[in-house]
Amino acid sequence: MAALRVVVLSGCGRTLLSTPKTIKTPKANMSFASLPRNKKVALTTLGVVTAGGAGLALMLHQSVKASDLELHPPQYPWSHAGPLSSLDHASIRRGYQVYKQVCSACHSMEYLAFRNLVGVSHTEAEVKTIAEEVEVVDGPDESGEMFTRPGKLSDYFPKPYPNPEAARVANNGALPPDLSYIVNARHGGEDYVFSLLTGYCEPPAGVTVREGLYYNPYFPGQAIGMAPPIYNEVLEYEDGTPATMSQVAKDVCTFLRWAAEPEHDQRKRMGLKLLMGSAILIPLLYYMKRHRWSVMKSRKMAYRPPK
């Protein structure tokens, strides 16, 4: 209800009526807080059940899509998965050996240079020796001819094929992907790569795989053109670690994680420094806010109206 005062002109002056005139206003809608307790419980339960049912229906729909029949890789307990855990650099060294002896025959790593290995998995002298084993085409020289020279630290890893067309011809039409950022480019990261490398098996009953392809439940379409690349004792590690299939897959996945994210350890180290600095700075800011400014916050300011 609202009150309205009416001014009436009479004679030479104005008379203000003391009796207010009331105007009816519409009632406000009933809010949730004013409902009885049993209705609140019923509405809350209905909302939770509806949201849960919608989420369950969405999950079931996503799980039975015809375009998503491959298995999802499980989560493995990687040693570098923790918020303050660093990469296993011995595993990175073994993973590079796996890439060099097994993977580099088909897959390139064109964004990785030999110098990136220095101080991570190898010493500078070791990397120089590794780079010099590669013949790099360079030039032209003073006579305009191209020439070959031993590799240097600044050179990038050599490509197994001169162009994508040659790679397709050598692999029955399939193009082996570059492995520089493969861990970040695939859903599941190193979990997917590990499951793919160790997931080759015979196709189940009723499933036929075209000649030249191999059944792998973790690969989209479940038929992959790459033959099983690793197996037990596929190579001999320099440090004497038993080269089982799971060990080889674990080491190459750790190497690929480092290749895709060389700043992994530095990023976590900076995060730890930030947390330690915040532990000192936040209490200091609280003291400044709570105590140093308490005088200003409790001050009462009065204004005199102008005369």
Side-chain angles (χ1 to χ4, degrees), residues 149-181:
R149 59 168 176 79
K152 300 183 296 186
L153 291 178
S154 58
D155 291 324
Y156 287 83
F157 287 4
K159 297 180 181 180
Y161 304 104
N163 50 65
E165 287 72 19
R168 292 184 185 275
V169 170
N171 292 276
N172 297 324
L175 178 63
D178 184 86
L179 299 183
S180 301
Y181 297 99

Side-chain angles (χ1 to χ4, degrees), residues 210-246:
R210 182 168 57 86
E211 184 180 359
L213 300 180
Y214 302 87
Y215 181 78
N216 194 314
Y218 296 100
F219 187 76
Q222 302 180 344
I224 184 173
M226 179 177 65
I230 60 173
Y231 48 87
N232 291 330
E233 306 300 332
V234 67
L235 76 166
E236 184 177 352
Y237 281 131
E238 298 173 351
D239 58 0
T241 303
T244 61
M245 177 186 288
S246 58

